[in-house]
Amino acid sequence: MSKNLVIAIDGPAGSGKSTIAKFLATKIGATYIDTGAMYRAITFKALSGGFIHDIHKIIEFSKSAKIKLTYENGRTRVFVDSEEVTDFIRSSEVNDNVSEVSRIPEVRAELVKIQQKMGQTETVVAEGRDTTTVVFPNADFKIYLVASIDVRAERRLAEYLENGVQISIEEVKENLAKRDKIDSGREVSPLKKADDAYQIDTSSLSINQELEIILDRINKIKISKQIK
Ligand code: DC
């Protein structure tokens, strides 16, 4: 039996992680693990349940709730206790609160357990802020994506417009800068480049160029590790 391959991608918001992770997962037949979607799901439930400012309730909820991710036909779906929340986790309200929820160590511990379990048996492409450092420290291939703040803001703005959210580029930049600060500055599992991660600046790369660079590396790793 051939070993399952674990590919982990980290980087700041808007660096292009989810786009490349989806393409890559489809190309190599892997399961895509969108770890941010899990933090977003907890945040959405805390907002809709009215306990977003009650850290103890958020921890209790994250321990008892059953968070499930599925990835079929290029689409991630997110479920909390069998309720589908996919369409609600990308609102600006969730964006504004998710960094605060994701800095809670107990919440992280619960979600990391689920993510690690998925990577035990399946070939996965995981992306987030700590997938190369905490979730999969022994990943077969680690990627750290970066891009300029202007490019990242343009990408996020396009996403908002696609989802019918009216927002200015200045607001998007402000939100990105705020999240960068919280995600990189928090004590538990801060966003940082793992020493052995391969850094790619996606500012002026097309998806195909990026995919080509990554596939080339993966092929070399497969050969060196004798993975089929
Ligand atoms: O990738 P994203 O924008 O969907 O992530 C949403 C938030 O979740 C982000 O602000 C940081 C947090 N997050 C995290 O702390 N750890 C992860 N592995 C993934 C996301």
Side-chain angles (χ1 to χ4, degrees):
M1 205 174 79
S2 78
K3 178 199 172 302
N4 63 309
L5 199 65
V6 175
I7 297 160
I9 309 175
D10 285 331
S15 58
K17 300 182 299 291
S18 61
T19 310
I20 194 64
K22 278 184 213 161
F23 271 90
L24 184 59
T26 304
K27 185 89 189 167
I28 66 171
T31 296
Y32 165 47
I33 310 181
D34 176 353
T35 61
M38 295 180 169
Y39 292 95
R40 287 173 177 274
I42 303 261
T43 306
F44 167 69
K45 292 299 283 183
L47 281 165
S48 57
F51 57 92
I52 192 72
H53 299 299
D54 186 338
I55 183 164
H56 298 293
K57 268 214 166 136
I58 296 176
I59 293 171
E60 201 181 296
F61 181 75
S62 72
K63 288 188 175 171
S64 63
K66 213 169 167 300
I67 311 281
K68 196 176 143 205
L69 279 188
T70 64
Y71 182 65
E72 282 159 49
N73 303 325
R75 187 168 177 254
T76 294
R77 295 172 71 191
V78 194
F79 299 83
V80 182
D81 294 326
S82 309
E83 175 198 348
E84 179 160 14
V85 297
T86 315
D87 292 340
F88 312 119
I89 62 169
R90 315 235 167 239
S91 68
S92 55
E93 214 186 0
V94 169
N95 280 350
D96 286 344
N97 288 278
V98 65
S99 282
E100 286 300 333
V101 170
S102 60
R103 70 195 288 182
I104 305 169
E106 291 88 343
V107 172
R108 302 201 69 82
E110 290 304 317
L111 296 186
V112 166
K113 264 194 267 176
I114 303 171
Q115 295 154 13
Q116 287 177 332
K117 206 164 169 210
M118 290 177 82
Q120 266 169 14
T121 49
E122 302 164 48
T123 283
V124 296
V125 177
E127 57 94 353
R129 304 297 188 288
D130 63 344
T131 65
T132 58
T133 53
V134 176
V135 186
F136 298 117
N138 299 317
D140 297 291
F141 186 33
K142 299 181 182 181
I143 303 169
Y144 191 75
L145 291 187
V146 293
S148 71
I149 182 92
D150 288 326
V151 169
R152 296 197 286 133
E154 288 291 346
R155 288 176 183 159
R156 270 291 136 104
L157 183 67
E159 256 175 44
Y160 277 122
L161 296 181
E162 226 169 79
N163 291 320
V165 179
Q166 290 301 320
I167 189 165
S168 71
I169 188 88
E170 287 75 23
E171 272 177 281
V172 176
K173 264 195 204 174
E174 225 171 86
N175 178 274
L176 281 179
K178 192 173 134 204
R179 281 173 55 193
D180 282 354
K181 205 168 163 205
I182 301 178
D183 295 344
S184 309
R186 68 178 174 224
E187 263 175 46
V188 186
S189 312
L191 168 68
K192 63 172 186 217
K193 180 186 169 296
D195 289 340
D196 52 351
Y198 182 70
Q199 181 162 316
I200 305 175
D201 186 335
T202 68
S203 305
S204 54
L205 286 180
S206 71
I207 279 293
N208 280 337
Q209 288 170 321
E210 214 181 307
L211 199 55
E212 212 175 292
I213 296 172
I214 294 172
L215 287 173
D216 182 53
R217 290 250 147 192
I218 291 176
N219 281 335
K220 287 186 179 130
I221 290 164
K222 277 177 154 181
I223 292 167
S224 75
K225 295 192 175 186
Q226 297 188 326
I227 298 171
K228 284 201 186 120

